[in-house]
Amino acid sequence: MAWNEPGNNGSPDKDPWGNRGGRDQGPPDLDEVFSKLSRKLGGLFGGRGPSLGGGGAVGLGVIAVLAAVVWGISGFYTIGEAERGVVLRLGQFDRIVQPGLNWKPTFIDEVKTVNVQSIRSLRSSGLMLTKDENVVRVEMDVQYRIANPEKYLYAVTNADDSLRQATDSALRAVIGDASMDQILTTGRQEVRERTFEEINRIIDRYDMGVLVVDVNFQSARPPEQVKDAFDDAIAAREDEERFIREAEAYANDVLPKAQGHAERIKKEAQAYFEQAVNKAEGEVAQFEKLLPEYNAAPEVTRQRLYLQTMEKVFGSTSKIMVDAKSTGNLMYLPLDKLMSQSSAPAVSPVQQSESSRYGIELEQRAPVTTEQNTRSSSSRQGRY
């Protein structure tokens, strides 16, 4: 049975939407639904049920206020201490925001944060051709940070990739201008410095907004096929450097000693020279003083010189043989015992009397003949 036919629960004047009178009506009007919604929102804010037109205006105003509040709150954002904010207004660069709490109009401004204090790192490596047409594998690490956030983001398409390409280009240029030996041994520092300068020159030209802090030359090695031969050459060069250092250390140790020894010999020679000259001058002065005395009394001076000479000669001997011409006896004086007794400690009177009795011994010899006496006298005279 249709909905508008009689027999609908005994009420032919009622439709499913609650309309009475049996009129043929459609679904409720949208204006009526919106009016009811407006009245409910007005009741929430303490107002009375408005008319149909006034309720729609109030609802729109409330929705607009809520949307404005949400829009305003969503615009607050915070920039970290190590960061800087790059503000784009409608897609175009507007300004750089400093750290702290900031606000932007949502859907109008866009903020991109960039860390300007952290040190970033990238590595460049590869097989490169040297000046002497050798192939070497080089690895280098570049440390950098962002100096200008605007240029870092918008001066080039990708600043990190551009810096990597600039590093590779600078490194190949420097390696191509150096020999294999320089790269592997003594020229590593020079290669690092030249690469650092070349990278800075490239990034200054492109104005990428990055600042290179340091360049580290990680390693440089020949290809694996010739690695053993290069290792032997490097070891030989290191041994050469070590031997040179050891020789220099030995020379630094020996040369001061030799110079000191030579200086000591010079001083001793100078002292001996001065001593000999002074001694000769003293002898000359003594001879000049003795000459007038000798001219005045030659015999007396000769005898005195003879006695002085004998005193010097026999002063260092321990025994003296004296010939007694009158009796033909030979008297023996034990001067060594007399000298030891003079240096010995004091003794008792009995020991002193015995030593005085036996201190001088006279050894009796057989009488010698005239010929022997003459021979001995002549020999002694020839000796003295």
Side-chain angles (χ1 to χ4, degrees):
M1 160 170 44
W3 60 272
N4 54 358
E5 293 181 358
N8 187 10
N9 293 330
S11 300
D13 57 344
K14 221 176 193 182
D15 59 20
W17 286 275
N19 296 322
R20 296 180 181 271
R23 293 178 300 175
D24 189 7
Q25 296 180 357
D29 195 3
L30 292 179
D31 294 335
E32 183 179 357
V33 175
F34 189 77
S35 177
K36 291 180 180 179
L37 179 61
S38 300
R39 285 195 299 271
K40 290 181 180 180
L41 292 176
L44 291 177
F45 290 96
R48 295 180 179 179
S51 61
L52 183 61
V58 171
L60 290 176
V62 171
I63 293 174
V65 170
L66 291 177
V69 171
V70 173
W71 180 78
I73 294 175
S74 64
F76 288 98
Y77 64 95
T78 304
I79 302 296
E81 183 65 27
E83 298 176 343
R84 298 293 183 271
V86 180
V87 179
L88 300 179
R89 177 156 295 175
L90 299 178
Q92 186 177 3
F93 173 77
D94 183 67
R95 67 186 183 278
I96 294 178
V97 180
Q98 299 300 319
L101 181 63
N102 299 275
W103 182 84
K104 64 179 178 64
T106 307
F107 308 119
I108 298 176
D109 288 356
E110 180 184 359
V111 179
K112 294 183 179 181
T113 58
V114 179
N115 194 322
V116 296
Q117 293 185 5
S118 64
I119 302 299
R120 307 187 181 191
S121 177
L122 64 87
R123 176 168 295 186
S124 177
S125 63
L127 294 174
M128 303 178 186
L129 188 64
T130 62
K131 183 179 179 180
D132 49 359
E133 298 182 356
N134 288 315
V135 178
V136 60
R137 182 174 184 84
V138 180
E139 295 181 359
M140 180 165 288
D141 182 75
V142 178
Q143 296 179 355
Y144 68 99
R145 67 179 181 86
I146 299 174
N148 191 322
E150 176 193 359
K151 295 179 180 179
Y152 173 77
L153 292 175
Y154 305 112
V156 293
T157 303
N158 189 334
D160 295 330
D161 186 64
S162 299
L163 180 60
R164 181 178 292 105
Q165 296 179 10
T167 302
D168 186 74
S169 176
L171 185 59
R172 290 183 182 276
V174 173
I175 295 299
D177 198 27
S179 63
M180 186 76 167
D181 293 337
Q182 291 177 346
I183 298 170
L184 296 179
T185 56
T186 59
R188 296 172 61 90
Q189 182 65 22
E190 182 180 358
V191 170
R192 189 193 73 83
E193 294 176 355
R194 291 181 57 190
T195 304
F196 182 78
E197 295 175 357
E198 187 68 18
I199 293 174
N200 283 326
R201 187 180 63 82
I202 294 175
I203 64 177
D204 289 342
R205 188 195 317 170
Y206 283 95
D207 199 14
M208 293 187 292
V210 297
L211 176 64
V212 177
V213 178
D214 193 11
V215 174
N216 298 321
F217 197 11
Q218 297 291 338
S219 64
R221 59 182 183 273
E224 295 296 332
Q225 293 80 0
V226 294
K227 184 176 182 300
D228 294 337
F230 274 95
D231 290 342
D232 294 339
I234 293 173
R237 189 176 291 106
E238 292 177 351
D239 292 339
E240 178 185 4
E241 294 293 333
R242 179 170 58 84
F243 292 150
I244 292 175
R245 298 294 181 269
E246 292 177 355
E248 291 177 352
Y250 176 75
N252 294 332
D253 181 54
V254 173
L255 286 178
K257 294 180 179 179
Q259 293 175 355
H261 184 66
E263 192 67 22
R264 182 173 60 84
I265 293 176
K266 291 180 180 179
K267 297 297 182 183
E268 292 178 354
Q270 185 67 23
Y272 176 76
F273 169 76
E274 294 178 357
Q275 181 183 1
V277 171
N278 294 333
K279 184 177 180 181
E281 292 177 352
E283 291 178 355
V284 171
Q286 183 180 4
F287 181 78
E288 290 178 353
K289 292 181 180 180
L290 186 62
L291 183 58
E293 299 179 359
Y294 180 80
N295 292 331
E299 294 296 332
V300 176
T301 305
R302 188 183 297 111
Q303 186 67 23
R304 182 164 61 84
L305 292 175
Y306 173 76
L307 295 176
Q308 291 177 354
T309 303
M310 290 299 103
E311 181 180 0
K312 292 180 180 179
V313 171
F314 291 107
S316 59
T317 59
S318 61
K319 297 179 181 179
I320 297 178
M321 305 296 294
V322 180
D323 186 9
K325 294 182 180 179
S326 59
T327 60
N329 297 326
L330 185 64
M331 183 174 64
Y332 167 68
L333 297 178
L335 295 180
D336 52 351
K337 294 182 179 181
L338 295 177
M339 295 173 62
S340 62
Q341 289 178 1
S342 63
S343 60
V347 296
S348 61
V350 177
Q351 294 176 351
Q352 186 175 3
S353 63
E354 291 180 356
S355 63
S356 62
R357 183 174 63 180
Y358 296 103
I360 301 175
E361 297 179 356
L362 297 177
E363 183 179 357
Q364 300 293 334
R365 299 287 184 180
V368 296
T369 58
T370 305
E371 182 179 359
Q372 293 175 350
N373 193 6
T374 304
R375 188 182 302 110
S376 62
S377 299
S378 62
S379 64
R380 284 195 297 273
Q381 289 176 2
R383 178 183 175 187
Y384 295 151

